[in-house]
Amino acid sequence: QVQLVESGGGLVQPGGSLRLSCAASGGTSNSYAMAWFRQAPGQEREFVAAIRSPNGATYYSDSLKGRFTMSRDRSKNTVFLQMNSLRPEDTAVYYCARLVNPISSTIRISDRYTYWGQGTQVTVSS
C-alpha cells in the first residue's frame, strides 16, 4: 500500500518561497506519476504540477509555470515543489498524489489519482 506524507508548508509573506516535500513509501510499479494539487476553501481541487516515472517528464498548470518547479529524488522516493514569488491566492492546502500507470490525457485530473497524502497548509499573508 502506498503512503504519501507531505511536509514543508507554513506561513510566508507575499514574494516569499517555500519548498514542499512528499515522501512516498510502498508501491511496486516503475510507471507512475507523482503530482501536486491544491485546494482552497470553497474552491475546486486544482492541478499544480506532476512528474512521471521513469522518464521524469514534468507537467505544470499554465498559471503557475515559471513560479513553481517540481523535481524528484528517486533514491529517497521523494518529490518536491519549489514555490517562488508566492502570492496570497496561492494560499491552500497542498496535496501530494500518486497515479499508477498514467497516461498523458489524465495526468492533470485529480479524480484519476489513487493515493493521496494528508496535505500541508500553505498560507501567504496579505
Side-chain angles (χ1 to χ4, degrees):
Q1 184 177 7
V2 175
Q3 292 186 328
L4 307 174
V5 180
E6 303 97 332
S7 62
L11 174 65
V12 296
Q13 297 186 47
S17 298
L18 281 175
R19 186 185 188 226
L20 306 183
S21 299
C22 175
S25 62
T28 59
S29 177
N30 291 322
S31 178
Y32 59 88
M34 297 290 294
W36 291 97
F37 293 84
R38 68 184 186 182
Q39 188 167 26
Q43 299 185 15
E44 296 289 327
R45 186 166 294 182
E46 177 188 16
F47 173 78
V48 175
I51 188 165
R52 294 191 65 164
S53 182
N55 65 10
T58 53
Y59 303 77
Y60 293 96
S61 166
D62 290 340
S63 64
L64 300 175
K65 190 174 183 179
R67 293 194 299 122
F68 291 10
T69 302
M70 191 168 180
S71 61
R72 64 180 176 176
D73 183 342
R74 289 197 287 175
S75 67
K76 297 181 179 179
N77 297 312
T78 301
V79 297
F80 307 94
L81 183 68
Q82 179 67 45
M83 304 186 295
N84 298 324
S85 301
L86 285 164
R87 306 165 182 170
E89 53 264 40
D90 295 321
T91 296
V93 177
Y94 284 71
Y95 296 94
C96 179
R98 182 182 178 115
L99 172 63
V100 177
N101 296 322
I103 58 175
S104 296
S105 62
T106 62
I107 202 164
R108 292 177 169 87
I109 303 174
S110 63
D111 288 349
R112 303 302 294 268
Y113 282 74
T114 303
Y115 303 102
W116 293 84
Q118 293 298 112
T120 185
Q121 177 71 46
V122 173
T123 302
V124 185
S125 68
S126 60

